[in-house]
């Protein structure tokens, strides 16, 4: 999995954000970074269930782009065990065009050996683009994340409009409809909730041609004319019909 964060670092990201009870809890930048860090921690726990020193259960790399009046790659592609270079201060305007162009270039800079990796772009902004820094949807229409790519647009505060983020999602035409969405968080609780479901969505790839092999003991004996009913529940809670797959079984008499 290759995850690219495209994070707004304009001056307004230093504005104060509140929780659902309107208590001041820090700047928009800090709250956004905390949400990113929590997502990263969840992914690292899944990728390295036995600790970072053990072989990875999932091969995850990440990268970070910061944008304001311009955009720069702040963290090049690295394994998820390496920390992102999150900013300490914010400045400048809000240039969506530069951010999206930088994202397209950075996705093209990944190792060709990772061409089959699931591509994920998480775009985070606290405001609409400045006049002159956005030419409509020409740039986002060029974003191609492959067959299984994901694109999320996250609004930090209600200073960013539904129309703007929905436009990004709608015109990300190379991403399947079920793999893209936008959320506007008016407080820190909303923002945290917006990130909570991303891990499950990113890891819920379709699976086919699965073989489960269990080595049998010397006491194994094949059954004849036996009937089994197997129910498989998908991630969305829908039961998959047993007729959609075949299964061969041998019963171990010792067990």
């Amino acid at each position: 999995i290759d995850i690219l964060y495209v994070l707004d670092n304009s001056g307004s990201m230093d504005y104060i954000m509140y929780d659902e009870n309107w208590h001041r809890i820090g700047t928009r930048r800090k709250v956004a970074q905390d949400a990113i860090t929590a997502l990263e921690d969840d992914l690292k726990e899944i990728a390295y269930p036995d600790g970072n020193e053990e072989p990875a259960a999932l091969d995850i790399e990440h990268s970070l782009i910061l944008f304001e009046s311009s955009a720069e790659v702040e963290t090049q592609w690295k394994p998820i065990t390496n920390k992102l270079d999150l900013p300490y201060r914010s400045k400048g305007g809000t240039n969506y065009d530069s951010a999206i162009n930088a994202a397209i270039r950075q996705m093209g800079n990944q190792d060709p050996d990772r061409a089959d990796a699931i591509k994920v772009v998480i775009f985070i902004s606290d405001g609409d683009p400045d006049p002159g820094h956005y030419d409509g949807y020409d740039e986002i229409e060029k974003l191609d994340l492959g067959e299984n790519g994901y694109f999320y647009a996250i609004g930090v505060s209600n200073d960013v409009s539904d129309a703007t983020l929905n436009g990004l999602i709608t015109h990300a035409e190379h991403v399947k409809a079920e793999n893209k969405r936008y959320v506007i968080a008016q407080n820190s609780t909303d923002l945290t909730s917006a990130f909570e479901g991303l891990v499950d969505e990113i890891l819920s790839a379709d699976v086919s041609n699965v073989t489960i092999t269990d080595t049998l003991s010397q006491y194994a004996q094949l059954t004849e004319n036996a009937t089994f009913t197997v129910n498989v529940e998908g991630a969305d809670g829908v039961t998959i019909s047993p007729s959609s797959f075949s299964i061969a079984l041998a019963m171990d008499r010792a067990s």
Side-chain angles (χ1 to χ4, degrees):
I1 303 175
D2 293 338
I3 301 177
L4 175 62
Y5 300 93
V6 184
L7 177 62
D8 190 341
N9 197 41
S10 60
S12 57
M13 287 293 281
D14 272 338
Y15 292 177
I16 295 298
M17 202 168 187
Y18 301 86
D19 63 16
E20 70 277 14
N21 296 315
W22 291 100
H23 296 140
R24 294 162 59 103
I25 58 165
T27 63
R28 296 173 180 177
R29 172 174 44 80
K30 180 183 183 302
V31 173
Q33 291 180 9
D34 288 347
I36 291 172
T37 300
L39 175 61
E40 291 269 293
D41 288 343
D42 287 343
L43 289 170
K44 279 187 281 190
E45 187 174 335
I46 294 169
Y48 294 89
D50 298 320
N52 294 351
E53 294 77 19
E54 298 298 323
L58 282 175
D59 182 1
I60 303 177
E61 291 197 357
H62 61 187
S63 177
L64 171 68
I65 289 172
L66 297 180
F67 73 94
E68 19 112 357
S69 299
S70 59
E72 294 184 3
V73 177
E74 196 71 15
T75 304
Q76 293 291 348
W77 290 111
K78 296 179 180 179
I80 198 170
T81 49
N82 291 267
K83 290 184 177 181
L84 295 169
D85 300 311
L86 294 167
Y88 293 98
R89 63 186 182 91
S90 302
K91 61 179 182 178
T94 307
N95 190 333
Y96 275 27
D97 283 347
S98 289
I100 295 166
N101 275 321
I104 293 170
R105 289 194 302 270
Q106 186 64 356
M107 276 299 179
N109 287 337
Q110 183 56 303
D111 189 335
D113 290 341
R114 299 182 64 84
D116 292 335
I118 295 172
K119 309 297 183 183
V120 182
V121 172
I122 302 176
F123 182 93
I124 306 163
S125 179
D126 75 329
D128 290 339
D130 295 334
H133 288 312
Y134 193 48
D135 295 328
Y137 301 110
D138 291 345
E139 303 307 321
I140 194 65
E141 289 174 354
K142 301 173 187 176
L143 181 67
D144 189 350
L145 302 179
E147 179 67 20
N148 295 313
Y150 290 81
F151 178 64
Y152 301 102
I154 309 295
V156 182
S157 88
N158 55 6
D159 286 348
V160 59
S161 67
D162 283 83
T164 295
L165 296 189
N166 185 48
L168 287 177
I169 294 299
T170 302
H171 289 271
E173 56 189 32
H174 295 295
V175 181
K176 293 188 294 187
E178 61 267 29
N179 287 1
K180 57 184 179 180
R181 63 183 175 92
Y182 79 95
V183 178
I184 294 180
Q186 298 188 31
N187 54 56
S188 64
T189 303
D190 290 345
L191 185 61
T192 300
S193 297
F195 276 82
E196 283 179 348
L198 298 190
V199 173
D200 289 339
E201 290 186 19
I202 292 169
L203 299 180
S204 63
D206 291 335
V207 178
S208 61
N209 298 323
V210 175
T211 300
I212 301 175
T213 303
D214 185 15
T215 303
L216 301 173
S217 75
Q218 60 180 319
Y219 303 105
Q221 179 178 342
L222 293 176
T223 62
E224 293 182 5
N225 301 321
T227 300
F228 298 91
T229 299
V230 180
N231 292 319
V232 179
E233 186 174 289
D236 55 2
V238 176
T239 299
I240 302 170
S241 170
S243 63
S244 65
F245 60 90
S246 60
I247 183 167
L249 292 137
M251 302 301 292
D252 189 337
R253 294 172 63 188
S255 60

